[in-house]
Amino acid sequence: MNRMRNHLFVFVCAGLAMLVHGCSNPPKENVSVAQTDVFQVPVLELTEVNEPNVMETEPVVLPEELSLTLEECRALALCNNLAIRATLMEPTLAAEQLSQEKSKFESVFKSSMNYNKSDDPSYSTLEGNQESSWYGQFGVDTPLETGGTLSLGLVDSRRKSDSSYWEINPNYGTGLSFSLSQPLLRNAGSYVNRHSIRIAQYQKDISEVRVRLEVTGLIRTVDGYYWGLYALRRELEVRKSQYALAEAQLEQTKRLVEQGEVAQVEIIRAEAGLAERLEAIIIAENNVRLQERGLKRVINKDGLGLDSPNRLIPASEPNPLRYAFDNQQIIQVAIDNRMEMLELEIQLAQDKSVVDYYRSQSLPAVSLSYGYDHSGLGASRRDAYQLLTSHQYGSGHSFGLNMEIPLGNLAAKHRLREAVYQKSQRLATQASRKLMIKEEVLNAIDEVEAGWQRILASRHNTVTAGRQYEAEKRQFELGLRTNTEVLDSQASLANAQSSEIRALADYQIALEDLAYFTGTLLGAAQVEWEPIVPAS
């Protein structure tokens, strides 16, 4: 008996605490905002405070020439890229949504308390006209993974009247109740009722896949800018070297003209060649600035704005090595590792869950319910609880079967059919994506092989162009060649050197493209990432 009163005391205290909390925190009302509050911006008057010893933040000062390795550029881009930072928060948001869905089976405590007092006229003196009553109900509802609902409840009441008919006045009532309802067809079973949790989990997985795609794409972009800048800076060095050679050629021509060994027109030819090399330097410097600005934008380093005069010097050198490829093995690696394929697999699993869920929704709604209640009544609360625990009176049991069968059920059937069609469409997309990946991988392998052949050919071309230039220069000194032929051979040498530099840079880019198309670029770059969790 004492235990029952303790339980009742706990229930009453909990209900009163909830009531007090609700009264102390009333819900906010919708407030109409005047247009003057929206369109007129008030002025905030601030008082200036003069601090004698205020430490100002020192601006970030970078050296005029900043040497960066490829790995440093990748790290800067991953840390400073604003789009990536926003993308890295997507898995965190998806994880919170998953946690919300997992809480759908949490139990809910319910309570209600009512007090009523009435004073109504009556037709007879035997009937009372004054009555007061108090009614309190406390319970817990638990949604089940099977789709049903389990409810436990406790009732405590008191009634008092001036009626002569009442033998027990005032009277106290108590009651215990238990009920269970379970669907048998529609929404029946743990698999169907966990559908929203699975969808949230799939969405979280998809957000992680898309983050990896974004990170991989950023690394590829950084590598492209980096090796492009490397090639353009080396080409600028070639153009400056060619200018120095043309300048030396002009000085030598002037000496030969003074000695009467060549005609005066050779000076004009040498000066024209020098001017042409100066134009090539101007074009090369502009190309370097454009590529450099793109790399600055991607790495977004403090103090290295797009308008900063700092020059970026690539410190990493190409490492041209030839590789042997097993095409079929690489294609299979790409299919297994490409995030696009993983995303499609997750979406197919999601489609399957949607189809199964809508198949359940197309079934008739049939549910079975059971209820149990046991009550007590007495002249005091103690008597009521004693009667409740004594089981002197029998308990009540109830069974119910509810059924709802849509006539036609067209909406549910069409939703199910749409889900089946979407799954079939995704399967066709998966087959098409595999074919596209195979094409991309084979093209990337051919680019790598062609890049290696370009390196060999350009090196040979540079050697032969250098020999030709030296030969033409000696022939000019002997008076057998003109400056035009010497400058032409010099230009051929510069073009051959530029082609070799571009071949080396393109080969590095081709290797990284192959890693990108096989889904292994992050592993090759040794990049690890994790979602960003904002401070709460």
Side-chain angles (χ1 to χ4, degrees):
M1 182 63 192
N2 290 332
R3 182 178 298 178
M4 292 294 293
R5 283 190 291 179
N6 290 337
H7 289 171
L8 176 61
F9 178 77
V10 171
F11 279 132
V12 172
C13 290
L16 291 175
M18 294 177 64
L19 178 62
V20 172
H21 177 73
C23 294
S24 61
N25 295 280
K28 297 182 179 180
E29 297 181 357
N30 293 328
V31 180
S32 176
V33 180
Q35 290 188 354
T36 55
D37 296 334
V38 177
F39 297 108
Q40 295 183 5
V41 181
V43 178
L44 178 63
E45 298 290 343
L46 299 178
T47 304
E48 182 178 357
V49 178
N50 295 322
E51 293 288 346
N53 298 317
V54 177
M55 297 297 294
E56 295 184 358
T57 304
E58 293 292 335
V60 179
V61 180
L62 299 175
E64 185 178 353
E65 288 190 355
L66 183 61
S67 179
L68 292 173
T69 64
L70 178 61
E71 290 74 18
E72 289 173 336
C73 288
R74 289 169 172 172
L76 286 171
L78 291 174
C79 293
N80 300 328
N81 189 276
L82 299 179
I84 287 296
R85 291 183 64 84
T87 304
L88 287 174
M89 293 182 63
E90 292 296 332
T92 304
L93 297 174
E96 291 300 320
Q97 294 171 357
L98 175 60
S99 299
Q100 293 176 27
E101 289 297 331
K102 287 183 177 179
S103 64
K104 65 186 294 185
F105 298 114
E106 287 184 349
S107 298
V108 178
F109 172 76
K110 300 191 306 181
S111 67
S112 63
M113 290 174 284
N114 298 286
Y115 175 77
N116 183 40
K117 185 176 182 180
S118 61
D119 188 1
D120 298 326
S122 62
Y123 295 99
S124 171
T125 57
L126 297 178
E127 296 179 357
N129 60 350
Q130 296 181 354
E131 181 178 340
S132 63
S133 63
W134 181 89
Y135 180 86
Q137 184 176 11
F138 311 93
V140 176
D141 287 350
T142 302
L144 305 176
E145 289 193 15
T146 59
T149 302
L150 176 66
S151 298
L152 298 174
L154 172 67
V155 174
D156 184 272
S157 64
R158 177 185 182 276
R159 295 183 65 188
K160 182 179 180 181
S161 175
D162 59 353
S163 172
S164 302
Y165 287 116
W166 288 24
E167 295 185 4
I168 304 177
N169 193 13
N171 62 74
Y172 293 84
T174 59
L176 289 175
S177 63
F178 164 83
S179 65
L180 173 65
S181 64
Q182 174 62 45
L184 303 179
L185 294 178
R186 185 192 301 174
N187 294 326
S190 175
Y191 180 81
V192 173
N193 287 278
R194 291 184 64 85
H195 167 71
S196 60
I197 298 177
R198 283 195 304 275
I199 295 299
Q201 180 65 60
Y202 292 145
Q203 290 300 317
K204 178 177 177 294
D205 295 339
I206 289 175
S207 68
E208 293 174 352
V209 167
R210 290 176 177 171
V211 168
R212 182 167 174 177
L213 281 172
E214 289 286 338
V215 173
T216 305
L218 178 61
I219 294 297
R220 187 188 184 196
T221 301
V222 171
D223 291 359
Y225 276 115
Y226 188 89
W227 292 118
L229 181 60
Y230 169 85
L232 290 173
R233 282 212 170 275
R234 289 290 304 274
E235 184 176 353
L236 177 60
E237 294 174 3
V238 169
R239 299 304 174 186
K240 289 181 177 180
S241 175
Q242 292 302 308
Y243 181 83
L245 291 175
E247 196 173 31
Q249 182 70 18
L250 176 60
E251 294 299 325
Q252 184 183 20
T253 302
K254 289 179 179 180
R255 289 193 300 269
L256 293 175
V257 169
E258 290 176 358
Q259 296 171 6
E261 297 182 6
V262 297
Q264 182 73 26
V265 70
E266 294 300 329
I267 295 179
I268 300 175
R269 290 171 178 169
E271 289 176 345
L274 186 64
E276 184 180 350
R277 271 103 185 120
L278 180 59
E279 181 187 8
I281 290 176
I282 295 173
I283 295 174
E285 285 181 339
N286 185 61
N287 291 335
V288 167
R289 283 194 296 270
L290 296 178
Q291 190 76 7
E292 197 174 54
R293 191 172 292 121
L295 184 57
K296 287 179 180 179
R297 175 182 58 82
V298 174
I299 63 178
N300 196 28
K301 181 177 175 60
D302 289 339
L304 198 64
L306 298 182
D307 56 347
S308 64
N310 308 86
R311 296 190 296 271
L312 300 183
I313 308 298
S316 299
E317 293 288 335
N319 184 26
L321 297 174
R322 189 176 186 182
Y323 298 94
F325 301 109
D326 183 344
N327 292 2
Q328 296 304 319
Q329 180 184 4
I330 295 178
I331 290 172
Q332 189 59 46
V333 168
I335 293 175
D336 294 339
N337 289 279
R338 284 281 289 268
M339 290 297 97
E340 297 94 328
M341 294 301 298
L342 180 57
E343 182 178 358
L344 274 173
E345 298 231 350
I346 297 173
Q347 289 174 339
L348 282 171
Q350 180 175 292
D351 291 340
K352 180 181 182 302
S353 181
V354 171
V355 169
D356 293 339
Y357 175 76
Y358 281 137
R359 183 172 286 117
S360 171
Q361 297 305 301
S362 64
L363 297 175
V366 180
S367 62
L368 180 65
S369 61
Y370 166 73
Y372 166 83
D373 64 89
H374 185 62
S375 59
L377 183 66
S380 66
R381 183 168 281 107
R382 179 178 181 179
D383 293 341
Y385 277 101
Q386 284 182 344
L387 185 61
L388 180 68
T389 56
S390 66
H391 296 281
Q392 181 177 353
Y393 293 94
S395 303
H397 300 269
S398 63
F399 296 90
L401 181 65
N402 300 315
M403 183 178 300
E404 180 182 328
I405 303 177
L407 300 179
N409 205 16
L410 293 179
K413 291 179 180 178
H414 286 302
R415 282 194 295 266
L416 175 59
R417 192 174 304 167
E418 180 186 3
V420 172
Y421 291 164
Q422 185 174 6
K423 182 179 178 181
S424 301
Q425 182 187 37
R426 199 96 64 186
L427 288 171
T429 303
Q430 185 183 44
S432 174
R433 187 66 56 83
K434 285 183 179 180
L435 190 62
M436 183 192 69
I437 289 175
K438 183 176 181 180
E439 179 186 7
E440 290 175 343
V441 170
L442 292 176
N443 290 343
I445 292 174
D446 288 343
E447 287 290 338
V448 172
E449 185 61 29
W452 178 258
Q453 298 300 328
R454 281 180 58 197
I455 291 175
L456 298 180
S458 60
R459 283 179 176 174
H460 179 72
N461 190 24
T462 301
V463 172
T464 56
R467 291 175 180 175
Q468 182 181 359
Y469 168 68
E470 294 296 334
E472 294 291 344
K473 186 178 178 183
R474 287 193 297 270
Q475 292 291 317
F476 172 77
E477 292 171 354
L478 296 175
L480 302 176
R481 291 289 187 272
T482 64
N483 260 331
T484 300
E485 293 165 315
V486 174
L487 294 172
D488 287 344
S489 63
Q490 192 183 89
S492 297
L493 174 59
N495 291 334
Q497 291 172 333
S498 297
S499 296
E500 182 180 357
I501 294 168
R502 176 52 65 181
L504 287 171
D506 288 346
Y507 186 70
Q508 292 297 131
I509 294 175
L511 286 175
E512 289 166 4
D513 281 346
L514 179 59
Y516 175 81
F517 288 124
T518 54
T520 58
L521 181 57
L522 292 187
Q526 298 181 350
V527 173
E528 296 181 0
W529 66 273
E530 59 182 13
I532 293 178
V533 180
S536 57

